[in-house]
Amino acid sequence: MKRFIILGAVVAGILALAVVAVPMLVSGERFRPVLESQIGKARGRPVKIGACSLRLLPPAVDADHISIAEDPRFTHPGPFAEAKQLRVRARLVPLLKGQVDIASLTITQPQVELIQSRDGIWNAASLGGGGGGSPGGRVVLGGISIVDGTVAVTTSGGGRTVYEHVDLSVGDIAGGSRMP
């Protein structure tokens, strides 16, 4: 009995060490090009991501300073959207089976610039035109949270309205449903 307790303590110690050591040994930066490419492909626009870090438990990737480029048909000088931080937390068991099951997506301090052209077309209309998606299957998304966002809306008539401190949470997103 004493052997099992000692063995259990050793295994628990090794697992605790792995939880602490793996994020230090495996740089989240190696995921940045993949994230930029996949998000950009899915959104149909160039995406830039700052520093990335990896967390083992719960499995998550944190990315700082995200920006999605503006539709080239619009003359707005800044990006379509940018955010201070993006945290993508995946569920562990599906991840071990090679499936992407995102438990939550948290976007901190996003700034979105919605612009309507004189023709009545919105700059967001071309998002998702890249035909991306997850390789080999669907991505399940448990929920999205937006924390302290800003949305600026400019209409074709020239009026501009800014909505600040926007907080939004959407949960239980159906895995088979199409999201814009």
Side-chain angles (χ1 to χ4, degrees):
M1 180 68 167
K2 190 175 180 180
R3 278 186 162 176
F4 290 116
I5 293 173
I6 293 172
L7 181 62
V10 169
V11 170
I14 291 171
L15 288 175
L17 184 62
V19 166
V20 172
V22 167
M24 288 185 221
L25 298 174
V26 178
S27 171
E29 288 297 312
R30 70 187 278 194
F31 296 104
R32 183 174 18 170
V34 173
L35 286 171
E36 286 178 338
S37 172
Q38 291 297 317
I39 295 170
K41 190 175 179 184
R43 296 295 104 204
R45 299 193 190 168
V47 172
K48 296 291 179 203
I49 298 175
C52 289
S53 60
L54 177 68
R55 293 182 355 174
L56 193 59
L57 288 177
V61 174
D62 292 338
D64 294 332
H65 308 292
I66 314 299
S67 72
I68 299 174
E70 181 60 88
D71 183 325
R73 296 176 294 178
F74 289 79
T75 59
H76 181 260
F80 165 73
E82 56 189 349
K84 181 177 180 181
Q85 185 181 53
L86 173 72
R87 171 170 285 166
V88 181
R89 192 171 63 81
R91 290 190 175 91
L92 183 59
V93 174
L95 202 56
L96 294 173
K97 295 178 181 177
Q99 301 166 343
V100 180
D101 188 344
I102 298 173
S104 65
L105 176 69
T106 303
I107 307 167
T108 305
Q109 295 181 345
Q111 297 179 343
V112 178
E113 193 73 35
L114 296 174
I115 303 170
Q116 185 182 38
S117 71
R118 288 189 175 103
D119 300 334
I121 298 170
W122 289 92
N123 62 342
S126 63
L127 283 173
S134 72
R138 65 187 179 121
V139 174
V140 176
L141 178 58
I144 299 175
S145 294
I146 294 174
V147 180
D148 195 23
T150 301
V151 179
V153 181
T154 304
T155 60
S156 59
R160 187 167 197 265
T161 305
V162 178
Y163 302 93
E164 296 179 324
H165 307 293
V166 175
D167 292 325
L168 174 71
S169 289
V170 179
D172 298 326
I173 298 171
S177 64
R178 182 172 164 12
M179 288 184 44

